[in-house]
Amino acid sequence: MVRVIGRRLLQSVPMLLFISVVCFALIKFAPGDPVQAFVTPNMNPEDVERMRHSLGLDLPGYVQYLIWLKNVVIGNFGFSLINHRPVLAQIVERIPATAGLMGSSIVVALLLAIPLGMLAAANRNRWVDKLLNMISYIGISIPSFWFAMLLIYIFAIELHLLPSMGMRTIGMSSTWDILKHGILPCIVLSFSHISIYIRYIRSNTIGQLKEDYVQIQYAFGSTKRQILFRHVLKNVLLPIITLLGLSLPDLIAGAIITETVFSWPGMGSLGITAVFGFDYPIIMGITLFSSLLLIVGNLLADVLYSVVDPRIKVAK
């Protein structure tokens, strides 16, 4: 197992290198100039060029990339072009907020989707199944930013039940205050994944209910509830591990949109601010960390799958 993990980590190095090349090229081809953020109406062209030289933006694109790559290898992700703070420090500051939001949304999605998906399968083609299918189609179809604004209008503006932005109320540092601020972003981020997981669990449960071991349990006198939660559930949960790894890209993309709408102080809102400000070092740093998170997440999913399913161990 250790050799497999080490080999997967080594294989991720060229993938990260390729991602960094593509991202750097897209940044350079994109319209806009970060120097314009510092230009004033009274500034001479010589001062503008001097500033461009001090930032290293007058060098050829491939030279800029090689300099950036050399610094990253030694752990230096550079400084922000906007606030001149270290890129790594800003990302590390935002990781807990993003990790907390993504982690809570995954937990909520699984806790709701597993029983609801099995309930839909157990009541196939009945009103419960049709209702859950309709909710799932809605969750898959609606845009997350529209759903976020709808929740803000209902729960923050009309009902005044929950805060609409930020992670903390000014002057308050309680855990309950953080939880209240995180309820709406967590609902938005988890709703679409709940819908996907419900459909997936429903389909797998229906397939498992047709297997021979289910009929044998019926012959032994087991109830439908006992069969679902003692036998079928174990077989249904195995593919969910792989589905979690595959849903990480959508989860990160959704976190960027959700954090922007709710002004959640995570990596997503930092990345959007960097894009609008042409802050290239921040964009590259967040892209690299997001890619690394995806690779590690898929690796953990594969490892966990092999731990849970003994047949994979035997095959290896």
Side-chain angles (χ1 to χ4, degrees), residues 97 100-101 104-105 108 112 147-148 151-152 155-156 161-168 175-191 194 258 262 264:
L101 182 60
S104 60
S105 65
V108 170
L112 292 178
F147 185 51
L151 292 183
I152 291 174
F155 292 99
L161 294 177
L162 296 170
S164 62
M165 60 186 299
M167 187 176 176
R168 291 184 178 89
T175 304
W176 172 239
D177 183 61
I178 298 176
L179 292 177
K180 283 199 306 181
H181 282 80
I183 290 175
L184 292 183
C186 182
I187 292 175
V188 173
L189 194 57
S190 60
F191 185 45
I194 291 175
T258 305
F262 289 98
W264 188 262

Coordinates of all heavy atoms in Angstrom, one line a residue, residues 97 100-101 104-105 108 112 147-148 151-152 155-156 161-168 175-191 194 258 262 264:
A97 N -11.2 28.1 6.4 CA -12.6 28.4 6.0 C -13.1 27.6 4.9 O -14.2 27.1 4.9 CB -12.6 29.9 5.7
G100 N -13.5 23.9 6.1 CA -14.7 23.7 6.9 C -16.0 23.7 6.1 O -16.9 22.9 6.4
L101 N -16.0 24.6 5.2 CA -17.3 24.7 4.3 C -17.4 23.4 3.5 O -18.5 22.9 3.4 CB -17.2 25.9 3.5 CG -18.4 26.2 2.6 CD1 -19.7 26.4 3.4 CD2 -18.2 27.5 1.7
S104 N -18.1 20.3 5.8 CA -19.5 20.2 6.4 C -20.5 19.9 5.3 O -21.4 19.2 5.5 CB -19.8 21.6 7.0 OG -19.7 22.6 6.1
S105 N -20.3 20.4 4.0 CA -21.2 20.1 3.0 C -21.2 18.7 2.6 O -22.2 18.1 2.2 CB -20.9 21.0 1.7 OG -19.6 20.7 1.2
V108 N -23.0 16.7 5.4 CA -24.5 17.0 5.3 C -25.0 16.2 4.1 O -26.1 15.6 4.2 CB -24.8 18.5 5.2 CG1 -26.2 18.7 4.8 CG2 -24.5 19.2 6.5
L112 N -27.8 13.0 4.5 CA -29.2 13.2 4.0 C -29.4 12.3 2.8 O -30.5 11.7 2.6 CB -29.4 14.6 3.6 CG -29.5 15.6 4.8 CD1 -29.8 17.0 4.2 CD2 -30.6 15.2 5.7
F147 N -29.6 29.9 -6.6 CA -30.1 29.3 -5.3 C -29.6 30.1 -4.1 O -30.3 30.3 -3.1 CB -29.7 27.9 -5.3 CG -30.3 27.1 -4.1 CD1 -31.6 27.1 -3.9 CD2 -29.5 26.3 -3.3 CE1 -32.2 26.4 -2.8 CE2 -30.0 25.6 -2.3 CZ -31.3 25.7 -2.0
A148 N -28.3 30.5 -4.2 CA -27.7 31.2 -3.0 C -28.4 32.6 -2.8 O -28.8 32.9 -1.7 CB -26.2 31.5 -3.3
L151 N -31.9 32.0 -1.3 CA -31.8 31.8 0.2 C -31.5 33.0 0.9 O -32.1 33.3 2.0 CB -30.8 30.7 0.5 CG -31.0 29.3 0.0 CD1 -29.9 28.3 0.4 CD2 -32.4 28.8 0.5
I152 N -30.6 33.9 0.4 CA -30.3 35.2 1.0 C -31.6 36.0 1.1 O -31.9 36.6 2.2 CB -29.2 35.9 0.3 CG1 -27.9 35.2 0.5 CG2 -29.1 37.3 0.8 CD1 -26.8 35.8 -0.4
F155 N -34.2 34.0 3.8 CA -33.8 33.8 5.2 C -33.1 35.0 5.8 O -33.1 35.2 7.0 CB -32.9 32.6 5.3 CG -33.6 31.3 5.1 CD1 -33.5 30.7 3.8 CD2 -34.4 30.7 6.0 CE1 -34.2 29.5 3.6 CE2 -35.1 29.5 5.8 CZ -35.0 28.9 4.5
A156 N -32.4 35.8 5.0 CA -31.7 37.0 5.5 C -32.5 38.3 5.4 O -32.6 39.1 6.4 CB -30.3 37.1 4.8
L161 N -33.5 35.6 9.7 CA -33.2 34.5 10.6 C -31.7 34.2 10.6 O -31.1 33.8 11.6 CB -33.9 33.2 10.1 CG -35.5 33.2 10.3 CD1 -36.1 31.9 9.8 CD2 -35.8 33.4 11.8
L162 N -31.0 34.4 9.4 CA -29.6 34.0 9.2 C -28.9 35.2 8.6 O -29.5 35.9 7.8 CB -29.5 32.8 8.4 CG -30.1 31.5 9.0 CD1 -30.1 30.4 7.9 CD2 -29.4 31.0 10.2
P163 N -27.6 35.3 8.9 CA -26.8 36.3 8.2 C -26.6 36.0 6.8 O -26.6 34.8 6.4 CB -25.5 36.3 9.0 CG -25.4 35.0 9.7 CD -26.8 34.6 9.9
S164 N -26.3 37.0 6.0 CA -26.2 36.8 4.5 C -24.8 36.8 4.0 O -24.6 36.5 2.9 CB -27.0 37.9 3.8 OG -26.5 39.2 4.1
M165 N -23.8 37.3 4.8 CA -22.5 37.4 4.3 C -21.5 37.3 5.4 O -21.8 37.5 6.6 CB -22.3 38.7 3.5 CG -22.5 39.9 4.3 SD -22.5 41.4 3.3 CE -20.8 41.3 2.7
G166 N -20.2 37.0 5.1 CA -19.2 36.9 6.0 C -19.2 35.6 6.8 O -20.0 34.7 6.6
M167 N -18.2 35.5 7.7 CA -18.0 34.3 8.5 C -18.3 34.6 10.0 O -18.6 33.7 10.8 CB -16.6 33.7 8.3 CG -16.3 32.4 9.0 SD -14.7 31.8 8.6 CE -14.6 30.3 9.6
R168 N -18.1 35.9 10.4 CA -18.4 36.3 11.8 C -19.1 37.6 11.8 O -18.9 38.4 10.9 CB -17.0 36.4 12.5 CG -16.3 35.0 12.8 CD -15.1 35.3 13.6 NE -14.4 34.0 13.9 CZ -13.4 33.5 13.2 NH1 -13.1 34.1 12.0 NH2 -12.8 32.4 13.5
T175 N -18.7 30.2 18.7 CA -18.9 29.1 17.7 C -20.3 29.2 17.1 O -20.4 28.9 15.8 CB -18.7 27.8 18.4 OG1 -17.4 27.8 19.0 CG2 -18.7 26.6 17.4
W176 N -21.3 29.5 17.8 CA -22.6 29.5 17.3 C -22.7 30.6 16.2 O -23.5 30.4 15.2 CB -23.7 29.8 18.4 CG -25.0 30.0 17.9 CD1 -25.8 31.2 18.1 CD2 -25.8 29.2 17.1 NE1 -27.0 31.1 17.5 CE2 -27.1 29.8 16.8 CE3 -25.7 27.9 16.5 CZ2 -28.1 29.3 16.1 CZ3 -26.7 27.4 15.7 CH2 -27.9 28.1 15.5
D177 N -22.0 31.7 16.4 CA -22.1 32.8 15.4 C -21.5 32.3 14.1 O -22.0 32.6 13.0 CB -21.3 34.0 15.9 CG -21.4 35.2 14.9 OD1 -22.5 35.7 14.6 OD2 -20.3 35.6 14.4
I178 N -20.4 31.5 14.1 CA -19.7 31.0 12.9 C -20.7 30.0 12.3 O -20.8 29.9 11.0 CB -18.4 30.3 13.3 CG1 -17.4 31.4 13.8 CG2 -17.8 29.7 12.0 CD1 -16.1 30.8 14.3
L179 N -21.3 29.2 13.1 CA -22.3 28.2 12.5 C -23.4 28.8 11.8 O -23.9 28.4 10.7 CB -22.8 27.2 13.6 CG -21.8 26.3 14.3 CD1 -22.4 25.5 15.4 CD2 -21.2 25.3 13.2
K180 N -24.0 29.9 12.4 CA -25.1 30.6 11.8 C -24.7 31.2 10.4 O -25.4 31.1 9.4 CB -25.6 31.8 12.7 CG -26.4 31.3 13.8 CD -27.2 32.5 14.4 CE -26.4 33.6 14.7 NZ -27.2 34.8 15.3
H181 N -23.5 31.7 10.3 CA -23.0 32.3 9.0 C -22.7 31.2 8.0 O -22.8 31.4 6.8 CB -21.7 33.1 9.3 CG -21.9 34.4 9.8 ND1 -22.1 34.7 11.2 CD2 -21.9 35.7 9.2 CE1 -22.3 36.0 11.3 NE2 -22.2 36.6 10.2
G182 N -22.5 29.9 8.5 CA -22.1 28.9 7.6 C -23.3 28.0 7.1 O -23.2 27.2 6.2
I183 N -24.5 28.3 7.7 CA -25.7 27.5 7.3 C -26.1 27.6 5.9 O -26.2 26.7 5.1 CB -26.9 27.8 8.3 CG1 -26.6 27.3 9.7 CG2 -28.1 27.2 7.7 CD1 -27.6 27.6 10.7
L184 N -26.3 28.9 5.4 CA -26.7 29.1 4.1 C -25.6 28.7 3.0 O -26.0 28.0 2.1 CB -27.0 30.6 3.9 CG -28.3 31.1 4.6 CD1 -28.6 32.5 4.3 CD2 -29.5 30.2 4.3
P185 N -24.3 29.0 3.2 CA -23.3 28.5 2.2 C -23.3 27.0 2.2 O -23.1 26.4 1.1 CB -22.0 29.1 2.7 CG -22.4 30.3 3.5 CD -23.7 30.0 4.1
C186 N -23.4 26.3 3.4 CA -23.4 24.9 3.4 C -24.6 24.3 2.7 O -24.4 23.3 1.9 CB -23.3 24.4 4.9 SG -23.2 22.6 5.0
I187 N -25.8 24.9 2.8 CA -27.0 24.4 2.1 C -26.8 24.5 0.6 O -27.1 23.6 -0.1 CB -28.2 25.2 2.6 CG1 -28.5 24.8 4.0 CG2 -29.4 24.8 1.7 CD1 -29.7 25.6 4.6
V188 N -26.3 25.6 0.2 CA -26.1 25.9 -1.3 C -25.1 24.9 -1.8 O -25.3 24.3 -2.9 CB -25.6 27.3 -1.5 CG1 -25.2 27.5 -3.0 CG2 -26.7 28.3 -1.2
L189 N -24.0 24.7 -1.1 CA -22.9 23.8 -1.6 C -23.3 22.3 -1.6 O -22.8 21.6 -2.4 CB -21.6 24.1 -0.8 CG -20.3 23.5 -1.4 CD1 -20.1 24.1 -2.8 CD2 -19.1 23.8 -0.5
S190 N -24.1 22.0 -0.7 CA -24.4 20.5 -0.5 C -25.7 20.1 -1.3 O -25.9 18.9 -1.5 CB -24.6 20.2 1.0 OG -25.7 21.0 1.5
F191 N -26.5 21.1 -1.7 CA -27.8 20.7 -2.3 C -27.7 20.0 -3.6 O -28.3 18.9 -3.8 CB -28.7 22.0 -2.5 CG -30.0 21.7 -3.0 CD1 -30.8 20.8 -2.4 CD2 -30.6 22.5 -4.1 CE1 -32.1 20.5 -2.9 CE2 -31.9 22.2 -4.5 CZ -32.6 21.3 -3.9
I194 N -26.3 16.5 -2.8 CA -27.3 15.6 -2.3 C -28.2 15.1 -3.4 O -28.5 13.9 -3.4 CB -28.2 16.4 -1.3 CG1 -27.4 16.8 0.0 CG2 -29.5 15.6 -0.9 CD1 -28.1 17.7 0.9
T258 N -19.9 29.9 -4.3 CA -20.6 30.1 -3.0 C -19.9 31.1 -2.1 O -20.5 31.9 -1.5 CB -20.7 28.7 -2.3 OG1 -21.4 27.8 -3.1 CG2 -21.6 28.9 -1.0
F262 N -21.5 34.7 -0.8 CA -21.7 34.9 0.6 C -20.5 35.7 1.3 O -20.5 35.8 2.5 CB -21.9 33.6 1.3 CG -23.2 32.9 1.0 CD1 -23.3 31.9 0.1 CD2 -24.4 33.3 1.7 CE1 -24.5 31.3 -0.2 CE2 -25.6 32.7 1.4 CZ -25.7 31.7 0.5
W264 N -17.7 34.6 1.9 CA -17.0 33.7 2.8 C -15.5 33.8 2.6 O -15.0 33.7 1.5 CB -17.5 32.3 2.5 CG -17.1 31.3 3.5 CD1 -16.0 30.4 3.4 CD2 -17.7 31.0 4.8 NE1 -15.9 29.6 4.5 CE2 -17.0 29.9 5.4 CE3 -18.8 31.5 5.4 CZ2 -17.3 29.4 6.6 CZ3 -19.2 31.0 6.7 CH2 -18.4 29.9 7.2

